Amino acid sequence: MRVLIPVGFGLNCEEETAAAFRMVGAEVELVHLTDLFARRAPRRIADYQVLAMVGGFSYGDHVAGGLVLATRIRAHLQADLSDLLGSGGRVLGICNGFQTLVRLGLLPGPELGPPDFLPRAALTNHDRLGYRDAWVRIGVDPRTTSAWTRGVTALDVPTRHGEGKFVVESSAVLSDLDRRGQLAFRWIDAAGTPTEAWPENPNGSALGVAGVTDSTGRILGLMPHPDAFLYPWHHPDYARRRAELEAVEAGGLAIFRAGITAD
Amino acid sequence: MDDVTRIEIATRSGFADSRGLSVAATIRTHLGIQIGAVRTRDVFHVEPALPATDAARVTSEFAGPIVRRGAVGRIEDGPFDVAVSVGFKPGVTDPVGKSARVAIEDLLGRPLGAGGAVYASRVYLLSGVSVADARRAATQLLANEVIERVTVQAFAEWQTAAPDLKVPRVVEHPPLPAETVRLRGLDAAALQALSRQKLLALSTPELLAIRDYFAAAATDPARVRAGLGADPTDVELECLAQTWSEHCKHKIFNATITYRETGRPPEEIRSLFKQYIRGTTAAVDAAITAREGKSWLVSVFHDNAGVIAATARYHLVYKVETHNSPSALDPYGGAMTGIVGVNRDPFATGLGSDLLSNVWGYCFGPPGWTGTLPPGLLHPRRIRDGVHRGVIDGGNQSGIPYGRGWEFFDDRFLGKPLVYCGTVGRMPVTVTGRPTEVKSARPGDRIVMVGGRIGKDGIHGATFSSAELTEESPVQAVQIGDPITQKMMFDFLLEAREAGLYSSVTDNGAGGLSSSVGEMARQPGGAWLDLSLAPLKYQGLAPWEVLVSEAQERMTLAVPPASLPAFLALARLREVEATDLGAFTGSGALEVRWGAETVGLLPLDFLHDGDPELRIEAVWAAPSPAQAPALAAPATAAEGNALAEEFLSRDNLRSSEQLSRTYDHEVKGLTVVKPWIGAGRDVPADATVFMIAHDGDLTGYALAEGVFPTYSDHDAWAMAQAGVDLAVRRVIAAGARVDRIAALDNYCWPDPMPGEKNPDAPHKAAQLVRASKGLAEICIAYGVPLISGKDSMKNDAVVGGKRISIPPTLLASAIAVVDDVRRAVTLEAAAAGELLVLVGETRQELGGTEWAAARGLTGGEVPRTTPAALWPGYQAVARAIASGLVQAAHAVGRGGLLHSLFLMARASGLGLSADLSRARVAGAVDWEGLLLGETTGRLLLAIEPGRLAALQAALAGVPHAVVGTFDAGGTLRIGLGATPLVDSPVDALARAWKREGRAS
């Protein structure tokens, strides 16, 4: 599996995201967005199997998170993205990458058919509380059909965002997405139940939505950072629970492994 | 009619306007105005005006679906009482406007054109407030009139007025010519008046040296050829003022000081820097080389940051800076410039480093200050809020996690806050086959400026920070950082570095091009540059302004001519501006041109070494150590608990975890021991520990610091040593290698130069000498080299005729190599039954402590460090940690054992019982000394009981005692023999320490 990580314009999680994909056996290429825009890169986007939009502060979150980058990608790369998805490619968006995919209309995307690049959702601020870097727990909705969550049930991850509250046009739309298993990741409490309460849910998303898949299951976006839990010693309890944490693989890796594993 | 399109974006009803909610809450808590609702809008002015269909497309794109709505012109809306509009003044960096322009151009598929621009601003619609109160909120909270323009309109006025189409366009002028400044014939007084008028901050001897140099150089053939005469041009004079400024030249640290102390012969010190800083490092370096056969110091003092060896692939680079004066004027912009500015230092060390982590630390006046504030000073709470937001935005947007963060509060920081920002980088050992730490600008290499454009922002920053703050401080002294422009520049430069496209790089910080080119020119031996080629934000700058502007996000590079086309092409592709301004030469001079005209010609030896030697008188009179009256021990545990709760909630000890979490601390995925640790993840780590790369190498580094400003009230020697000792003890407690610790010294001092308003200058100078002596002694004893540092020597404010001077403050920052990050240790005991061992002796030392501040004590003995006696104990502890004997370790610091025992219990999520009568003491020590004294050199270790014998063997000859046991309960019990001092649920103490349920 060959993974493309576009870089530049204030994105900044490329190093750990590349490490994550490499740790699970993928071949990773970091390519500057200006090279993709100018058709200067050796490969086209559709020559990869996976596109990973990493976290960061593209254009400083100016105007709104992911907005400027999404506008630029739509202007320069929309056809390439269609080609990638048309050939069965997969897309992952983490944090700012997720915001960008939502702005592009790739998430949650149309109920049926190829991507139409129509935004149908927004990621917005918590009503009162802003950016916070803290570890929380997320769980996978068992109904989800996402390729990125196979074999994943729940994991600890840090959350680091201001604009991450997932909103759609109406509660009916949200229910539809829920029923179809597209609300793939949820913020969960100590009992494993999706929660809307801070701090377990850092942004106040209804139904505890932390990550969303498209209807094909090939595009996933999530707000928290699985790319920040690659080693047991990333975990904040490592000093007190060393043996227990070292006995299992670090929780973030399973998502990257699932994503590069063929159907 | 203005050729401008105005677009407004607002939150739709049904969704929370979170910014409005937060502003309303802040107006209520900070200003006591019982305001109703606040709604906010983002406004974008686009010029030239967009056709209606384009304007509608932009509006719809910016609003997006669902949450926000937009309108061209103005969103008509329900009633409110007052509208407050806040936008930048002309020429101020507007990063949001810049990003919006990129989006608009891509959306419309066409450029806005050369005269086009997008300006971002905000509107606040306030309800339930009078116009007068709204105006107060506008000027004290919503806007900073130093950089922003504000309009306040009552609803009726707003409703009838047309939407505001004014944009802060700079009125452009034709370029101004360089002018000659006549110095011949001026006497000392006239020269000094000229220096004050031009904000040169030059001393009289310096002005005389400059006058005489140019008078003598009139017949110099090169000068005659260039058409220059017996007086300097304004370009030359400004360039000298920048280069010779205290900020750039560190004149005080290079001065000859006569130090007098009662009962001793006067001592002449020729340069504190050479003797105590560089001399110390040379001595430590020699000791390392003798011990290990080669040194791990890679590059110290001559570059932008210090470099030490770490792994086979990477060196570590570290620099800490201060940005005090700009933060006093514009806390947000000043502090942001502090962090993004110090990023450029490790970045521009050698051929460049990737940035790994940031550190910050602030000294403020008390946030709850209710006393009077002299006019011209901002309330410390406002400074604090702005500084945090600036460094948060600067660091987070740059994608650099923070490793260390701290705050210290004292009334004397009302006049000038201290804003420390630092950055760690990793430098590849080699790039394109060359050692990365070596710069090699050669004659013929082109001078290329990369990054942002030049404007009037930041003109005179270097000379300004070298002067005390007055009510007339210039607006231009403030720069606004633009982290995204800088990040794009860094990404580009790292590519250029890997491709070997340049031979040297340095940062444009203080002094702008005059400093960067002047400094880089030393290696090849000369340079010429043509300022008319420099890209400007707007026309109308004089040549000298182009030369000294401190507009941000700029680097200067030496690019070999053969690489120039490739370098410029890559820059263009990456959307980064790069401009060829001239070339390095071997001429021995810095030649400044404006087109065909030479407007400055300064021989490098005069530019760099022509300033007259400074002499300073230092007189030390030790304050009398009046003994503090003893206080009766708490009569009951309840009384002790109340004391503990009150003490732990003090500004200097309370938990600032919630605030600190608004800073990213783990982007890059290299953070192992995070800034906040423990069962509740709310206890500050003694040291943070990071990996260096995702390359399978588990070698890491630890960061910690120590700072004790109030110890200077007793003796700056003790202040300096306590800081270094704590920084070193903390990295040792985290499991760092005891033989791979380096330190940075950042001095912030009140002015030690005599003046009519500064009668105790000789005392301040003596404090500087004593801090430096103490620093040298402890670094040599510990084998800790000083690899970089900085001094800020004018931390006084004179406002309304009253002088407020900070306490002399030395921040010691430690960086140490950790062999295996998995072996790092924190404060967390893992299980009930573990024993608590106190290493080190306790003395009756309350002077300058947090307890002394709480009690209002001025006397007592200040904690004094005995470096040579302590070091063997530290080595023994480090060996014990390295061998895996120790579960948890903690360095006792400010707040003494009470604070430390609480932190360990809290971090462990366990109960803890400790008997302080078991502690090893030196001399008579009462309950206050044991519980609250801050004797340096002490470490607390948690160990499994079965390992006690092995630990005791490892600590043979080192004073230590088992003082407590962790248990499964949730209570902290501290006693003195049979006398209980504290007996409280840890949670109850934690609530006080976090000030839960109290306005912060």
Side-chain angles (χ1 to χ4, degrees):
Chain A
M1 280 277 193
R2 191 178 285 143
V3 177
L4 168 65
I5 298 183
V7 299
F9 298 140
L11 294 172
N12 59 38
C13 295
E14 60 268 20
E15 197 172 319
E16 58 268 43
T17 309
F21 278 113
R22 287 182 182 131
M23 285 170 78
V24 297
E27 192 183 320
V28 181
E29 288 178 21
L30 275 58
V31 180
H32 202 285
L33 280 155
T34 56
D35 283 337
L36 296 171
F37 290 178
R39 302 284 187 276
R40 245 183 115 255
R43 279 185 249 274
R44 298 180 60 248
I45 292 179
D47 297 333
Y48 297 85
Q49 284 78 51
V50 171
L51 167 70
M53 295 300 298
V54 300
F57 273 86
S58 60
Y59 287 96
D61 276 0
H62 299 149
V63 191
L67 184 143
V68 180
L69 181 57
T71 304
R72 301 204 75 185
I73 288 176
R74 193 196 299 272
H76 295 281
L77 300 173
Q78 184 168 324
D80 301 65
L81 289 176
S82 291
D83 289 350
L84 171 76
L85 293 164
S87 62
R90 292 176 182 170
V91 179
L92 174 66
I94 300 171
C95 201
N96 195 226
F98 180 27
Q99 292 167 341
T100 307
L101 297 180
V102 169
R103 286 261 165 202
L104 278 168
L106 289 174
L107 288 174
E111 189 178 341
L112 287 169
D116 56 9
F117 294 89
L118 284 179
R120 291 179 176 80
L123 291 164
T124 189
N125 297 305
H126 185 283
D127 291 355
R128 289 175 298 110
L129 305 159
Y131 177 100
R132 187 164 186 268
D133 181 344
W135 281 60
V136 293
R137 192 159 175 80
I138 56 172
V140 173
D141 184 316
R143 294 166 296 181
T144 190
T145 54
S146 173
W148 292 92
T149 58
R150 271 175 221 158
V152 185
T153 50
L155 61 147
D156 292 342
V157 273
T159 153
R160 315 195 301 250
H161 64 265
E163 299 168 47
K165 179 180 177 180
F166 182 76
V167 292
V168 290
E169 200 60 57
S170 66
S171 53
V173 172
L174 193 66
S175 300
D176 286 347
L177 292 171
D178 186 24
R179 208 181 49 249
R180 294 201 295 271
Q182 281 187 250
L183 308 179
F185 276 109
R186 311 296 180 97
W187 311 110
I188 57 176
D189 60 19
T193 312
T195 176
E196 297 181 358
W198 192 90
E200 287 84 0
N201 176 335
N203 56 39
S205 266
L207 305 182
V209 176
V212 174
T213 178
D214 72 329
S215 61
T216 70
R218 286 187 282 117
I219 309 176
L220 175 78
L222 74 169
M223 286 315 302
H225 281 274
D227 51 317
F229 189 15
L230 308 182
Y231 317 104
W233 47 95
H234 269 151
H235 197 285
D237 290 345
Y238 184 68
R240 278 172 296 111
R241 295 166 46 204
R242 186 174 310 227
E244 179 194 338
L245 286 159
E246 283 185 343
V248 294
E249 183 182 81
L253 289 173
I255 295 172
F256 299 96
R257 181 176 293 109
I260 64 155
T261 303
D263 291 320
Chain B
M1 192 191 135
D2 297 281
D3 186 24
V4 171
T5 296
R6 175 190 169 102
I7 293 170
E8 274 197 7
I9 306 290
T11 307
R12 280 181 200 277
S13 64
F15 291 94
D17 181 339
S18 48
R19 182 175 51 189
L21 288 167
S22 145
V23 163
T26 313
I27 291 174
R28 287 181 206 120
T29 55
H30 285 26
L31 302 180
I33 299 171
Q34 292 317 307
I35 194 168
V38 176
R39 282 172 282 160
T40 68
R41 290 167 182 188
D42 289 309
V43 183
F44 300 91
H45 286 93
V46 185
E47 69 171 350
L50 301 174
T53 49
D54 286 353
R57 271 186 81 190
V58 171
T59 306
S60 149
E61 181 82 2
F62 279 14
I66 304 165
V67 180
R68 304 197 302 170
R69 62 192 172 128
V72 180
R74 191 167 76 188
I75 300 173
E76 298 306 327
D77 207 345
F80 53 87
D81 291 317
V82 187
V84 176
S85 304
V86 181
F88 288 120
K89 286 185 170 170
V92 176
T93 304
D94 177 1
V96 178
K98 192 173 165 187
S99 296
R101 176 182 182 155
V102 171
I104 291 170
E105 292 184 333
D106 265 8
L107 180 69
L108 303 180
R110 62 177 174 83
L112 290 179
V118 180
Y119 302 92
S121 58
R122 321 181 288 287
V123 176
Y124 301 86
L125 306 178
L126 315 180
S127 297
V129 69
S130 67
V131 172
D133 276 350
R135 196 176 301 281
R136 192 153 75 87
T139 53
Q140 293 184 18
L141 215 110
L142 302 176
N144 182 348
E145 291 178 288
V146 173
I147 55 162
E148 288 167 322
R149 66 196 174 113
V150 187
T151 43
V152 178
Q153 294 172 298
F155 180 65
E157 190 189 340
W158 179 87
Q159 229 180 355
T160 51
D164 182 7
L165 292 180
K166 274 201 300 293
V167 294
R169 190 189 306 114
V170 176
V171 178
E172 305 210 0
H173 300 284
L176 297 165
E179 288 176 355
T180 300
V181 183
R182 190 175 169 90
L183 301 184
R184 274 173 302 164
L186 298 190
D187 63 8
L191 287 168
Q192 198 45 251
L194 178 85
S195 170
R196 267 199 302 275
Q197 180 232 328
K198 286 184 170 289
L199 293 168
L200 300 176
L202 288 166
S203 70
T204 302
E206 289 166 341
L207 290 159
L208 292 170
I210 291 171
R211 182 193 69 187
D212 296 347
Y213 165 78
F214 284 99
T219 54
D220 177 72
R223 211 163 162 80
V224 172
R225 246 190 338 268
L228 297 167
D231 281 307
T233 64
D234 51 5
V235 171
E236 291 171 324
L237 188 57
E238 293 280 352
C239 186
L240 287 165
Q242 297 298 323
T243 309
W244 293 5
S245 69
E246 180 56 45
H247 189 97
C248 295
K249 193 82 183 172
H250 311 291
K251 291 179 284 200
I252 291 169
F253 263 81
N254 287 305
T256 297
I257 301 181
T258 308
Y259 173 74
R260 292 190 170 80
E261 185 180 337
T262 319
R264 287 174 176 245
E267 182 185 351
E268 186 169 277
I269 300 158
R270 298 183 67 89
S271 172
L272 288 172
F273 173 70
K274 286 185 189 134
Q275 185 155 346
Y276 296 117
I277 313 286
R278 209 168 67 191
T280 296
T281 299
V284 173
D285 194 25
I288 294 169
T289 307
R291 185 178 69 224
E292 303 186 21
K294 64 181 230 192
S295 177
W296 42 270
L297 295 182
V298 176
S299 170
V300 289
F301 297 128
H302 65 268
D303 210 331
N304 291 305
V307 187
I308 61 171
T311 71
R313 293 182 60 199
Y314 294 109
H315 300 318
L316 290 168
V317 189
Y318 195 12
K319 172 70 172 236
V320 175
E321 271 276 15
T322 47
H323 220 233
N324 306 337
S325 300
S327 302
L329 285 180
D330 173 23
Y332 178 79
M336 178 189 269
T337 307
I339 192 72
V340 299
V342 78
N343 286 168
R344 291 195 298 273
D345 282 318
F347 193 92
T349 297
L351 294 175
S353 306
D354 315 51
L355 306 181
L356 292 181
S357 56
N358 286 332
V359 300
W360 48 265
Y362 315 132
C363 296
F364 294 129
W369 178 257
T370 52
T372 54
L373 267 183
L377 296 183
L378 298 176
H379 192 281
R381 185 177 50 209
R382 183 168 186 197
I383 293 180
R384 181 180 184 225
D385 285 357
V387 166
H388 276 288
R389 282 193 301 111
V391 177
I392 287 166
D393 284 356
N396 289 5
Q397 292 184 19
S398 302
I400 304 168
Y402 94 96
R404 304 294 297 169
W406 54 268
E407 293 179 291
F408 187 88
F409 301 95
D410 186 279
D411 293 359
R412 287 166 287 176
F413 296 111
L414 281 173
K416 221 175 217 187
L418 304 185
V419 176
Y420 295 94
C421 292
T423 304
V424 179
R426 77 174 174 222
M427 173 186 281
V429 172
T430 57
V431 283
T432 58
R434 294 182 296 173
T436 315
E437 74 273 16
V438 180
K439 289 174 149 82
S440 57
R442 286 182 207 89
D445 283 357
R446 305 301 301 186
I447 298 171
V448 180
M449 188 184 94
V450 175
R453 296 185 149 227
I454 295 176
K456 294 203 183 206
D457 32 346
I459 285 177
H460 282 144
T463 49
F464 161 64
S465 75
S466 305
E468 65 198 17
L469 213 53
T470 67
E471 285 156 64
E472 292 83 36
S473 298
V475 169
Q476 301 103 294
V478 179
Q479 319 93 319
I480 308 293
D482 178 359
I484 292 306
T485 295
Q486 177 152 303
K487 171 84 170 124
M488 287 170 63
M489 173 176 76
F490 283 172
D491 289 350
F492 154 65
L493 287 175
L494 287 176
E495 271 189 84
R497 179 191 77 183
E498 293 306 307
L501 295 180
Y502 59 82
S503 55
S504 184
V505 55
T506 204
D507 152 43
N508 279 290
L513 284 170
S514 74
S515 289
S516 67
V517 177
E519 197 52 45
M520 286 172 88
R522 297 173 91 145
Q523 188 172 34
W528 67 265
L529 80 165
D530 180 352
L531 296 175
S532 74
L533 301 173
L536 304 180
K537 294 181 179 178
Y538 39 84
Q539 295 304 313
L541 273 68
W544 72 265
E545 293 178 305
V546 177
L547 187 65
V548 306
S549 164
E550 295 178 11
Q552 291 291 295
E553 292 83 40
R554 292 182 298 140
M555 308 287 267
T556 300
L557 289 98
V559 179
S563 304
L564 186 67
F567 184 90
L568 295 177
L570 185 61
R572 236 181 345 265
L573 186 69
R574 298 293 179 245
E575 303 180 14
V576 173
E577 191 149 6
T579 314
D580 178 11
L581 297 179
F584 292 102
T585 65
S587 72
L590 172 64
E591 186 191 347
V592 184
R593 299 177 190 164
W594 185 268
E597 188 192 354
T598 296
V599 293
L601 185 63
L602 291 165
L604 293 181
D605 51 7
F606 181 66
L607 178 64
H608 291 301
D609 301 312
D611 57 325
E613 188 191 56
L614 184 65
R615 299 195 68 96
I616 298 175
E617 289 293 314
V619 182
W620 175 243
S624 68
Q627 211 39 252
L631 189 74
T636 63
E639 219 174 86
N641 295 345
L643 177 153
E645 288 186 17
E646 188 60 34
F647 187 64
L648 293 172
S649 72
R650 290 179 60 77
D651 281 340
N652 284 332
L653 299 179
R654 60 176 293 201
S655 170
S656 58
E657 180 232 344
Q658 292 296 345
L659 176 59
S660 302
R661 285 197 181 278
T662 51
Y663 293 77
D664 191 308
H665 63 249
E666 53 197 329
V667 56
K668 295 181 189 294
L670 298 170
T671 315
V672 179
V673 175
K674 296 165 178 55
W676 299 92
I677 56 113
R681 297 173 192 167
D682 55 7
V683 171
D686 272 40
T688 44
V689 178
F690 291 87
M691 297 162 58
I692 296 169
H694 294 280
D695 59 0
D697 190 329
L698 294 179
T699 305
Y701 66 96
L703 299 177
E705 71 295 307
V707 63
F708 290 91
T710 50
Y711 289 11
S712 288
D713 296 340
H714 298 255
D715 189 352
W717 183 307
M719 181 277 295
Q721 292 202 332
V724 175
D725 176 67
L726 184 60
V728 166
R729 217 165 359 113
R730 281 175 164 170
V731 293
I732 289 172
R737 275 185 70 153
V738 74
D739 58 352
R740 286 287 187 285
I741 306 173
L744 279 61
D745 57 285
N746 282 79
Y747 287 76
C748 285
W749 234 252
D751 194 354
M753 299 303 295
E756 49 183 309
K757 282 178 263 169
N758 197 16
D760 59 346
H763 178 68
K764 292 165 179 166
Q767 290 175 304
L768 188 63
V769 171
R770 293 188 61 79
S772 302
K773 285 172 178 272
L775 176 67
E777 182 200 42
I778 194 167
C779 288
I780 289 171
Y782 288 179
V784 170
L786 297 162
I787 58 167
S788 175
K790 201 70 193 262
D791 53 272
S792 165
M793 305 302 296
K794 309 275 172 174
N795 292 291
D796 311 83
V798 177
V799 189
K802 193 179 159 204
R803 186 182 196 90
I804 307 177
S805 294
I806 66 155
T809 301
L810 174 69
L811 169 67
S813 306
I815 181 167
V817 174
V818 175
D819 275 339
D820 181 341
V821 294
R822 294 172 300 180
R823 307 286 283 269
V825 168
T826 71
L827 293 80
E828 297 159 272
E834 288 179 16
L835 302 175
L836 186 66
V837 177
L838 175 60
V839 182
E841 289 179 329
T842 301
R843 293 182 295 272
Q844 184 73 12
E845 290 175 323
L846 297 172
T849 63
E850 191 60 25
W851 178 242
R855 267 191 70 189
L857 295 177
T858 51
E861 293 293 335
V862 71
R864 289 196 180 271
T865 307
T866 51
L870 290 172
W871 188 244
Y874 293 2
Q875 290 177 299
V877 168
R879 276 193 302 271
I881 294 174
S883 65
L885 276 177
V886 175
Q887 163 60 30
H890 169 56
V892 182
R894 194 158 185 93
L897 280 172
L898 172 56
H899 188 231
S900 290
L901 295 170
F902 163 72
L903 291 181
M904 287 193 83
R906 176 75 188 169
S908 309
L910 296 169
L912 172 61
S913 294
D915 178 359
L916 299 187
S917 72
R918 298 198 202 152
R920 296 282 300 266
V921 296
V925 187
D926 67 9
W927 75 275
E928 277 184 285
L930 281 164
L931 187 67
L932 298 151
E934 294 174 8
T935 299
T936 60
R938 296 177 297 171
L939 286 147
L940 286 163
L941 309 177
I943 57 154
E944 289 174 17
R947 291 177 168 168
L948 181 61
L951 181 74
Q952 284 171 328
L955 295 179
V958 180
H960 66 276
V962 177
V963 296
T965 311
F966 290 91
D967 58 63
T971 301
L972 177 63
R973 288 188 189 85
I974 307 173
L976 192 61
T979 313
L981 296 173
V982 175
D983 187 342
S984 166
V986 177
D987 283 349
L989 296 171
R991 276 193 295 277
W993 170 69
K994 294 179 142 189
R995 294 201 185 165
E996 283 175 6
R998 282 171 63 175
S1000 55

